[in-house]
Amino acid sequence: MDLRYSPEEQEFRGEVREFFRSVLPREIRDKVALGRLPSRDDIVRWQRILNARGWAVTQWAPEWGGTGWDTVRQYIFREEMYLADAPEPLSTNVTLVGPVVIAFGNEQQKRHFLPRIANVDMFFCQGFSEPEAGSDLAALRTRAVRDGDQYIVTGQKLWTSYAHQADWMFCLVRTDESARKQDGISYLLIDMASKGVTVKPVMTLDGGHHVNEVFLNDVQVPVTNRIGEENRGWHYAKFLLGNERILTGRIGLSKSRLRRARDLAARVPAGGSTLAASHAFREKAAALEVELKALEITTLRVLDEVRRQTGTAQDPKISILKIKGSELAQATAELLLEVAGPHALPRQEDWASGADVACIGPEWAATAAPNYLYLRAATIFGGSSEIQRNIVAKNILGI
Ligand SMILES: Cc1cc2nc3c(=O)[nH]c(=O)nc-3n(C[C@H](O)[C@H](O)[C@H](O)COP(=O)(O)OP(=O)(O)OC[C@H]3O[C@@H](n4cnc5c(N)ncnc54)[C@H](O)[C@@H]3O)c2cc1C
C-alpha cells in the first residue's frame, strides 16, 4: 500500500484549499475557529455555497449531485474543510437521510427530496431514539397506523438533535405490532410543521440546547412519505447507522483541535517558557498525533474496502473506527481544556472576598470546557462504545 499522496491528489488538495480560502465567509470561519457552533443560518448559507460549486453532497451518486471522487479525494476534501475551519455540510441531510433516499426511495421521492436535501431547503433531524429504545433501538414504540393514504403517528422521540431547528424529521415507527420487533418498523419522513408535533428542549452537560424530546400526537403523515417498503425500516436504519458511525470518528476535526491546542499552548506561559515547550505537553500532543495518523490510515483502508463492496449491508469494521474516533475526539478536547487551564472555568471564587466572579481569559478559552463536556456524548451518540464492541465481538471476532 502506497501511503503517499500522488501529484494529482496534491494538486486536488491545493484546489480545495484555495476554494475554502476564497469563499468561506469570514464570520463563519471565525466562529468555528473559536470552537463555537455555527447557527442554523450559518449552516444553510455555507451549504448553499458548497452546493453552488457542486460540493455539498460529494459522496452521493453523480446522477444525484455527487462528485464521483474516490475515497482518497473524499478524505482530502473533508480534511481541508476542517483545516479551513469550515462547518461540515449538514450531516443529517447529507450523510444520513440523503443516502437512504438514494438507495431505497422511489424515483418520485428522489426527484422531490434530493435537491431540497442537498440545498438544505429542508433541514432534517433524526427521530430514532426513544425513552425505552436507545441501544435496543428495535424496541421503539412510536406507532404508525394506516388510515387510507395517511399514517397516524403517535409516540415520543428522545435526544433528537436540532429538532428545534429542523423542518423535517426522518423517523422510525412501528407499523406491525405482531411481527418480530425488527420486522415491524417503517421509515417515514415527517414534516415538523404538521399538527400534533411538539418539541421540548433537553439541556446537556455543557449548558447548551442541542437535543430535544419530540412528542407526536396523532400526526398525519402521507403514505407517500414512507421510504422503501412497509416494515423494512430496520434494514434501512442499519444502512444509515453505518454511515453515521463512519462520520462520528471525525478525524479531521480532532486533527484541527490538536493543531489549535499546539498553537494556543505556544501562547501560554509556563516555567519561564511556554506550555508548548514543556516535555509533558509535547509528549501528550505527540501521542495523540501518532494515534490520529494510525486511525487515518485505518480509516482510508476500511473506506476503500467499503467502497468496493456491493449491496447495502454495512461493514462491522466501521464500529472500530467509531470507537477509536470518538475516543480521540474526547482526548483532543481534553488537551485543549488543559491548555485553557483556569480560563476554561466560567466562574471562580475570589479567595479574598469569597465572591463568585466571572473568569475572564482569552476568547478561545471560553469554549474549551463546553466542548469538552459536550464531547462526553461522542462515545454514546450514533451507538455507544459498548454496543460497538458487542458488534466487533460478534461480527468480527465471532465470539
Ligand atoms: C448528545 C446526544 C445527541 C443525540 N442525538 C440523537 C439524534 O439526533 N437522534 C436520535 O435518534 N438519537 C440521538 N441520540 C441518542 C443516542 O443514539 C442514544 O443515547 C444511544 O444510542 C444510547 O441509548 P440510551 O441513551 O437509551 O442508553 P441505553 O441504551 O439505556 O444505554 C445505557 C448504558 O448501557 C450500555 N448498554 C446498553 N445495552 C448494552 C449491551 N447490550 N451491552 C453492553 N452495554 C450496554 C450503554 O452502552 C450505555 O452505557 C443522541 C444522544 C446524545 C447523548
Side-chain angles (χ1 to χ4, degrees):
M1 186 182 178
D2 187 351
L3 296 178
R4 286 162 304 184
Y5 292 110
S6 68
E8 294 76 26
E9 285 161 351
Q10 285 171 11
E11 195 180 314
F12 171 75
R13 184 185 285 282
E15 185 193 345
V16 173
R17 187 170 292 182
E18 174 54 26
F19 171 75
F20 285 137
R21 197 197 57 72
S22 58
V23 302
L24 176 61
R26 192 195 175 107
E27 56 281 16
I28 298 181
R29 188 195 66 200
D30 290 350
K31 211 182 252 186
V32 174
L34 282 172
R36 296 228 163 86
L37 285 179
S39 66
R40 180 193 148 115
D41 285 350
D42 294 335
I43 292 169
V44 173
R45 181 178 170 202
W46 173 233
Q47 187 151 328
R48 288 184 183 163
I49 293 172
L50 287 175
N51 203 29
R53 175 69 178 80
W55 285 357
V57 290
T58 58
Q59 70 274 48
W60 288 11
E63 60 181 309
W64 296 111
T67 52
W69 291 338
D70 63 9
T71 315
V72 175
R73 277 180 163 72
Q74 298 283 3
Y75 190 83
I76 290 173
F77 179 75
R78 279 209 157 244
E79 186 168 65
E80 287 300 322
M81 179 178 75
Y82 292 123
L83 286 172
D85 290 318
E88 51 184 56
L90 183 63
S91 60
T92 44
N93 278 32
V94 174
T95 314
L96 304 188
V97 68
V100 170
V101 175
I102 291 172
F104 307 108
N106 60 37
E107 279 307 300
Q108 202 181 349
Q109 289 170 331
K110 288 179 194 179
R111 275 200 302 276
H112 179 72
F113 285 109
L114 291 175
R116 291 169 175 82
I117 291 172
N119 205 44
V120 214
D121 299 330
M122 293 172 166
F123 189 119
F124 269 89
C125 64
Q126 177 185 21
F128 280 17
S129 305
E130 298 185 4
E132 302 299 327
S135 302
D136 185 12
L137 185 57
L140 63 94
R141 291 202 300 225
T142 294
R143 265 187 327 145
V145 178
R146 185 83 179 252
D147 180 15
D149 56 2
Q150 310 269 350
Y151 286 106
I152 308 299
V153 181
T154 305
Q156 184 195 342
K157 295 292 169 181
L158 182 59
W159 308 117
T160 322
S161 304
Y162 308 117
H164 55 303
Q165 298 179 318
D167 315 304
W168 284 76
M169 173 165 72
F170 54 90
C171 192
L172 293 181
V173 294
R174 186 156 302 285
T175 35
D176 184 350
E177 309 261 359
S178 61
R180 191 178 73 109
K181 61 184 182 179
Q182 287 85 353
D183 294 337
I185 293 172
S186 298
Y187 186 106
L188 298 184
L189 305 184
I190 299 182
D191 185 341
M192 295 295 276
S194 309
K195 191 161 168 279
V197 178
T198 311
V199 177
K200 291 193 178 164
V202 176
M203 303 311 285
T204 41
L205 197 59
D206 58 320
H209 177 194
H210 312 282
V211 294
N212 303 274
E213 293 177 286
V214 179
F215 296 89
L216 302 154
N217 190 11
D218 288 341
V219 179
Q220 293 187 358
V221 181
V223 171
T224 48
N225 284 7
R226 188 192 71 226
I227 302 295
E229 293 172 45
E230 191 170 75
N231 299 327
R232 285 275 289 158
W234 185 247
H235 175 66
Y236 314 144
K238 283 200 296 184
F239 169 76
L240 180 148
L241 288 171
N243 291 338
E244 183 174 16
R245 285 165 192 160
I246 293 176
L247 180 81
T248 36
R250 288 184 169 88
I251 303 172
L253 206 50
S254 292
K255 277 173 122 180
S256 84
R257 219 180 278 117
L258 178 58
R259 179 178 51 109
R260 199 174 317 142
R262 280 205 163 104
D263 290 349
L264 295 171
R267 295 191 223 158
V268 175
S273 178
T274 65
L275 184 61
S278 75
H279 179 72
F281 179 86
R282 283 166 49 212
E283 197 171 51
K284 274 187 195 171
L288 284 173
E289 177 117 39
V290 170
E291 292 225 54
L292 280 167
K293 182 48 90 182
L295 181 62
E296 182 179 16
I297 293 166
T298 310
T299 301
L300 282 170
R301 201 155 43 85
V302 172
L303 289 184
D304 199 46
E305 277 177 38
V306 167
R307 195 175 51 87
R308 288 164 208 271
Q309 288 160 7
T310 50
T312 50
Q314 292 286 14
D315 191 318
K317 288 197 270 313
I318 290 169
S319 292
I320 301 173
L321 307 181
K322 203 267 166 178
I323 296 170
K324 198 65 198 167
S326 54
E327 287 175 357
L328 287 174
Q330 292 179 339
T332 49
E334 187 172 338
L335 188 67
L336 256 180
L337 186 72
E338 286 181 29
V339 173
H343 292 307
L345 291 170
R347 306 194 71 77
Q348 245 178 349
E349 192 175 350
D350 180 334
W351 291 106
S353 66
D356 182 26
V357 292
C359 177
I360 308 293
E363 207 182 351
W364 58 263
T367 53
N371 282 336
Y372 168 81
L373 292 170
Y374 178 72
L375 279 172
R376 298 295 89 200
T379 43
I380 301 172
F381 55 61
S384 70
S385 291
E386 290 81 2
I387 296 300
Q388 302 317 304
R389 287 193 179 94
N390 287 351
I391 293 172
V392 171
K394 189 169 163 217
N395 298 306
I396 300 179
L397 303 176
I399 297 171

